[in-house]
Amino acid sequence: MIREVARTYPHGELMNTWAWIQSAINTDGAHNPVTSRRVRSGDILSVNTFPMIAGYYTALERTLFLNHASDAHLALWEINCQIHRRGMELIRPGARCCDIATELNEMYREHGLLEYRSFGYGHSFGSLCHYYGREAELELREDITTVLEPGMVVSMEPMIMIPEGMPGAGGYREHDILVVTEDGAEDITGFPFGPEHNIIKT
């Protein structure tokens, strides 16, 4: 990805463009440090890509498995994908950030997974970097009352982290970027998610 960005935009900076893959229990954090561990068949994987072009930041994150997934992993993955789909449906003009978070919390609670949920469900996108962050008032969290408006760009990225030693251990996260429109939202990510697409065969 970095080489393609450099080829397409030969005079741009690449410092904030990066990609990595985490594996096994190292997926249990949103952006855990990468390691030299060799992946194994049946591993849960987390792919993270973060290109920045001319100061505009975007992201793609997906849960994947290598060759196969256990029944426990599949069940948890399906639940997180269900919550991800619902979260994208809730992004529309007039919706409050806190109401989106509250509804998705209830879905996790119904599955007994709320305690394994991580941080907020999404945030603003646009011109940002690690040095100057993002707009706190456009975080999809329980304490943010901002109302979504057409033209806003936000992510939907629910995540659960199942501790090591439990069935289905690892981190599950899908991440799409949506542009709020006059009557809904447009998903501009264009990369499939879920077990039917992201069990990678070798």
Side-chain angles (χ1 to χ4, degrees):
M1 178 193 73
I2 296 171
R3 288 179 182 153
E4 182 63 21
V5 171
R7 186 190 66 76
T8 305
Y9 302 96
H11 303 294
E13 59 89 9
L14 298 172
M15 185 171 62
N16 286 297
T17 292
W18 43 275
W20 62 38
I21 295 179
Q22 301 151 324
S23 65
I25 198 61
N26 196 40
T27 61
D28 72 349
H31 304 131
N32 283 349
V34 294
T35 71
S36 59
R37 177 187 180 275
R38 287 183 175 270
V39 296
R40 302 179 184 122
S41 187
D43 272 353
I44 184 173
L45 307 171
S46 178
V47 63
N48 303 259
T49 64
F50 300 93
M52 178 183 275
I53 299 168
Y56 285 88
Y57 196 55
T58 186
L60 166 69
E61 298 175 74
R62 288 291 185 257
T63 300
L64 305 95
F65 279 81
L66 186 61
N67 290 319
H68 62 87
S70 72
D71 290 345
H73 283 106
L74 282 173
L76 290 162
W77 193 8
E78 289 281 13
I79 290 168
N80 207 55
C81 287
Q82 174 189 357
I83 290 167
H84 183 60
R85 287 185 196 95
R86 180 59 182 153
M88 290 193 291
E89 292 171 357
L90 292 171
I91 294 175
R92 62 185 187 277
R96 294 194 309 165
C97 294
C98 58
D99 295 335
I100 293 171
T102 299
E103 180 169 334
L104 299 181
N105 280 348
E106 190 54 37
M107 291 179 72
Y108 276 133
R109 184 179 287 109
E110 289 170 2
H111 291 286
L113 294 172
L114 185 58
E115 67 181 293
Y116 304 114
R117 192 204 118 200
S118 60
F119 38 81
Y121 289 99
H123 56 82
S124 65
F125 269 83
S127 180
L128 72 157
C129 83
H130 291 140
Y131 298 110
Y132 49 84
R134 59 198 189 213
E135 298 175 56
E137 288 303 307
L138 199 49
E139 301 266 344
L140 301 181
R141 298 189 327 231
E142 300 84 349
D143 60 328
I144 303 297
T145 59
T146 303
V147 176
L148 298 183
E149 299 176 8
M152 289 180 171
V153 182
V154 295
S155 62
M156 175 49 60
E157 47 183 304
M159 182 176 185
I160 48 174
M161 300 178 291
I162 309 303
E164 189 170 14
M166 292 183 63
Y172 302 78
R173 188 178 192 188
E174 312 300 338
H175 181 297
D176 284 61
I177 296 177
L178 298 97
V179 179
V180 180
T181 64
E182 294 295 332
D183 58 359
E186 178 188 1
D187 184 351
I188 62 171
T189 299
F191 193 96
F193 62 91
E196 62 272 31
H197 301 290
N198 291 330
I199 296 179
I200 310 303
K201 302 292 186 180
T202 59

